[in-house]
Amino acid sequence: MTPTPTATLVARDWAEIQERMLVPLYEAVYDRLEVGPGDRLLGLGCGAGLPLLLAAGRGAAATGVEADPARRALARERLLEVVAAPPVPAARPYDVLLALSPGPGALAQALPAVRRGGAVVLADWGPAERCTVPAVLGGGPAARDLDELVAEAGLVPDGSGRVFCPFGYADVDSAVRGLLSTGLYDAAADPALAEKELSEALHPYERSDGAVWLPNIFRYVVARVA
């Protein structure tokens, strides 16, 4: 499937503006798990591939899963191995599965590719009172119950953590483009109106130099495959 020009532009906004906002989360998880040479990591919903690049920079072998063809194409431009759906169990299973806001179906499909005792990391928004973006977006998105996901998947809990992930932008235009690239507004009946409303909602977070600063806390849980 060839991405449309609009989809490609949105994916580039994600790659060039938005995905770096989650670097503190990825780095905290990789530090905790001591990801490094010899590890095999599978990134579920890897976007344009930044979490894979960070893992590869530590010496790990990283593969990504990304359903969006435009983001997948950008990841492949970075010479990353990214597929459209979770791989079938391989001769050598993965040591780590990283999943940001995963759907139960996607998680269940990916788990067979992870070795017994391997780490599964789920992450999502932290407490509502510590996240600016959901407030800007008019009460959404709501955080998933990660502990419930762990239990439903039959995984063994192995700790959790919180990471400060501020969303900082050069100006309101960059902030609008970055936030729209997340897909949080895809269901809007009138995209142009959604863009206008988002731009107006961001003004209270605009600094004197024009930059936009949106503090957020993300929560992650670590679980093990039984």
Side-chain angles (χ1 to χ4, degrees):
M1 179 179 179
T2 302
T4 66
T6 298
T8 298
L9 287 175
V10 172
R12 288 201 176 277
D13 282 343
W14 170 264
E16 296 171 4
I17 299 174
Q18 190 63 33
E19 69 175 349
R20 61 184 172 82
M21 309 300 177
L22 298 177
V23 167
L25 173 63
Y26 299 138
E27 294 287 17
V29 168
Y30 294 165
D31 284 345
R32 180 164 185 154
L33 296 179
E34 299 182 341
V35 170
D39 289 328
R40 282 169 49 82
L41 179 139
L42 181 63
L44 189 60
C46 70
L50 182 58
L52 308 183
L53 289 173
L54 295 174
R58 294 169 174 253
T63 300
V65 178
E66 177 53 55
D68 181 79
R71 294 189 186 188
R72 192 166 64 245
L74 290 179
R76 289 172 176 171
E77 286 181 12
R78 292 170 165 176
L79 304 181
L80 297 168
E81 181 183 353
V82 179
V83 294
V88 296
R92 185 183 173 194
Y94 292 92
D95 304 293
V96 179
L97 172 64
L98 177 65
L100 182 62
S101 301
L107 179 61
Q109 193 176 358
L111 283 176
V114 185
R115 67 172 175 81
R116 185 175 183 180
V120 177
V121 182
L122 310 178
D124 211 327
W125 300 98
E129 67 274 11
R130 302 292 302 278
C131 294
T132 309
V133 168
V136 169
L137 296 174
R144 302 283 300 280
D145 188 331
L146 300 178
D147 301 299
E148 185 175 296
L149 277 178
V150 167
E152 289 175 352
L155 300 168
V156 180
D158 192 27
S160 64
R162 293 182 178 182
V163 183
F164 181 53
C165 290
F167 288 10
Y169 307 91
D171 49 40
V172 170
D173 178 66
S174 295
V176 170
R177 289 168 55 201
L179 290 171
L180 288 177
S181 76
T182 64
L184 297 172
Y185 264 70
D186 285 356
D190 186 341
L193 179 60
E195 183 175 343
K196 179 177 181 295
E197 291 178 344
L198 180 55
S199 178
E200 293 173 351
L202 287 169
H203 284 302
Y205 304 94
E206 191 176 2
R207 294 184 166 185
S208 58
D209 61 357
V212 175
W213 186 253
L214 303 172
N216 301 290
I217 296 289
F218 276 74
R219 180 174 184 258
Y220 70 87
V221 298
V222 179
R224 299 284 172 176
V225 176

